[in-house]
Amino acid sequence: MTSVREKYRDCQVKPTTTSFAVYSRGTIYLLDSAANQMARDQFASSAAASADPSTGSGFMMVTVKGSAEADRLTGVTSIQRQPRGNP
């Protein structure tokens, strides 16, 4: 079985990232435009700092406060980076 990390290996946060998605419990959620801007402000300019130093991965663990509607997160009020865990 392919892991999420393997499947989306080319979808990592980089300084040029403009659209973000969150994977949770088997579902990929796209962020609305306001949440994308929030994520860009918080993460895109520091993509190197967000990378896992042991693997060079641009994936990160986050907590998002907002509403899930089908495959979208809307009304997001915060996006917080979490300490590295075992995804």
Side-chain angles (χ1 to χ4, degrees), residues 1-58:
M1 182 174 200
T2 303
S3 73
V4 171
R5 206 174 277 273
E6 292 167 333
K7 186 174 181 178
Y8 296 102
R9 71 177 176 261
D10 295 327
C11 294
Q12 298 180 30
V13 177
K14 299 176 181 98
T16 56
T17 300
T18 59
S19 295
F20 296 81
V22 175
Y23 174 84
S24 178
R25 297 183 182 140
T27 301
I28 298 286
Y29 295 97
L30 303 175
L31 301 181
D32 67 11
S33 60
N36 271 311
Q37 184 61 52
M38 190 182 302
R40 277 193 300 274
D41 293 346
Q42 189 167 0
F43 304 124
S45 63
S46 62
S50 70
D52 181 338
S54 65
T55 65
S57 170

